[in-house]
């Protein structure tokens, strides 16, 4: 059998496995279905949607972006990046392509790594003033998320920042206006933001992250050019890569789409981007986990390992498609105050002009505690996630699913030299009430957890995350 037929056969078996898996769970105590834009508790969800950006993958495809601008008929283009990337080949290649194809553009390089509402607003104000008809962003999640927000609000200048921010922090209004085309060129292998309708930022008044989640803001085109991954510093490769793992496990273990607490929307346009696990998201998440297990450590410690870094680029996009439709849950919900309340922590290879916990690191730090907590709600899925990460689950008991997956995560974290728990970021037990307070409003993700949570549960999870090894 040739390689092509082998791949088809494997994919067919995988598809059969996913599509025959049941998506019905027992009723979860403590969660009540409630109305959403006119729905009632009786109107349970019965459908899911798959949406992601067009993806272009290949070495050197960045040089095509000037032609893309001309194909869109763009008259004035915004090129958005950050100050660390502006002099690197990834941005230089874009600039050369724009010049070669006589594209009229302006460069904005003031994106903040781990953006805030203030840095978002600065980019939005710039975009409103310049009135661009196409956006290009070159960078990691911070750049892509900032550009999504600039496009969203500049396309509707009367909107205020909190209008589209997820409730209850913001108003969570539906996006009803048309956005400009956006081309997202990723330079890291982790966030998957080039595929998703999600934009996250630190909301300084709350000292926690929040964001915007709507299909309307996803890039028109996501470009994954493996050449850019060669310049990722070691810690960026580690902390962005570990985010792939959490995206995929959280989406794979999220509440099934039929059991989503918001129920069926009155209008299909109002169906949320994060819908709960579903058969199609599962396929992408499974592939992402297997690839991450095989390639992440190699990609972190050998920048010259093109095979590993290229496959992590694909794994990031795969996980992005998976969680961009299935959603994430508690690791991400807890990560938002972990990032927002940081006092002095700084990481090698990242912007050092302000304290910061890189996003992937803020997510993985609670993962062993979280998945030990959520495993009783769907132990089979937690065991399957462990299997995708290389664990032999033959004859393993369902009641051991949480410890099995958590132990594997700790091993991966140690292999990648992750700091040991929240204590390594400067947190103590005295900070737990503030961390819990910042987690509770994260309804967009917390309510996708397969197991309900109380304030006491979150306090326990933060306490159990102070030290991981």
């Amino acid at each position: 059998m040739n390689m092509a037929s082998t791949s088809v056969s494997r994919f067919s078996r995988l598809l059969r496995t996913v599509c025959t898996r049941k998506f019905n769970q027992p009723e979860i105590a403590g969660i009540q279905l409630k109305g959403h834009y006119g729905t009632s508790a009786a109107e349970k969800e019965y459908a899911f949607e798959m949406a992601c950006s067009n993806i272009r993958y290949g070495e050197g495809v960045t040089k095509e972006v000037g032609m893309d601008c001309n194909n869109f008929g763009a008259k004035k283009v915004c090129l958005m990046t950050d100050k660390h990337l502006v002099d690197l080949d990834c941005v230089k290649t874009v600039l050369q392509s724009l010049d070669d194809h006589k594209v009229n553009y302006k460069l904005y390089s003031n994106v903040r790594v781990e953006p805030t509402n203030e840095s978002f607003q600065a980019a939005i104000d710039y975009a409103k003033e310049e009135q661009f008809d196409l956006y290009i962003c070159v960078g990691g999640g911070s750049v892509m998320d900032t550009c999504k927000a600039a496009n969203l609000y500049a396309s509707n200048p009367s909107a205020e920042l909190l209008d589209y921010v997820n409730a209850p922090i913001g108003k969570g209004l539906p996006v009803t206006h048309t956005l400009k085309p956006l081309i997202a060129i990723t330079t890291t292998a982790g966030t998957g933001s080039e595929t998703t309708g999600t934009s996250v930022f630190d909301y300084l008044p709350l000292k926690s992250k929040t964001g915007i989640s709507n299909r309307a803001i996803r890039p028109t085109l996501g470009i994954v050019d493996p050449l850019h991954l060669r310049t990722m510093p070691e810690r960026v490769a580690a902390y962005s890569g570990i985010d792939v793992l959490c995206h995929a496990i959280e989406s794979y273990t999220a509440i099934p789409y039929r059991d989503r607490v918001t129920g069926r929307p009155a209008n299909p346009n109002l169906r949320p981007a994060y819908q709960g696990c579903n058969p199609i998201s599962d396929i992408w998440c499974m592939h992402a986990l297997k690839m991450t297990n095989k390639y992440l450590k190699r990609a972190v410690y050998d920048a010259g390992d093109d095979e590993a870094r290229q496959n992590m680029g694909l794994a990031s996009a795969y996980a992005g498609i998976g969680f961009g439709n299935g959603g994430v849950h508690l690791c991400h919900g807890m990560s938002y105050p972990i990032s927002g309340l940081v006092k002095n922590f700084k990481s090698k290879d990242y912007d050092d002009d302000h304290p910061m916990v890189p996003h992937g690191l803020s997510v993985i730090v609670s993962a062993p505690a979280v998945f030990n907590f959520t495993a009783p709600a769907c132990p089979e899925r937690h065991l399957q996630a462990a299997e995708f990460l290389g664990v032999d689950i033959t004859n393993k008991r369902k009641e051991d699913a949480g410890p099995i997956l958590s132990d594997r995560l700790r091993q991966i974290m140690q292999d990648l030299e992750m700091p040991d728990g929240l204590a390594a970021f400067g947190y103590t037990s005295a900070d737990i009430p503030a961390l819990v307070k910042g987690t509770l409003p994260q309804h967009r993700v917390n309510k996708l957890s397969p197991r309900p949570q109380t304030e006491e549960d979150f306090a326990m999870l933060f306490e159990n995350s102070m030290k991981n090894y």
Side-chain angles (χ1 to χ4, degrees), residues 140-157:
S142 297
V143 175
M144 290 186 277
D145 288 3
T146 300
C147 196
K148 290 175 187 178
N151 187 14
L152 172 65
Y153 291 93
S155 300
N156 182 19

Side-chain angles (χ1 to χ4, degrees), residues 147-175:
C147 196
K148 290 175 187 178
N151 187 14
L152 172 65
Y153 291 93
S155 300
N156 182 19
S158 63
E160 298 181 353
L161 182 63
L162 290 180
D163 284 353
Y164 298 117
V165 170
N166 301 306
I169 296 171
K171 297 179 182 179
L173 298 179
V175 179

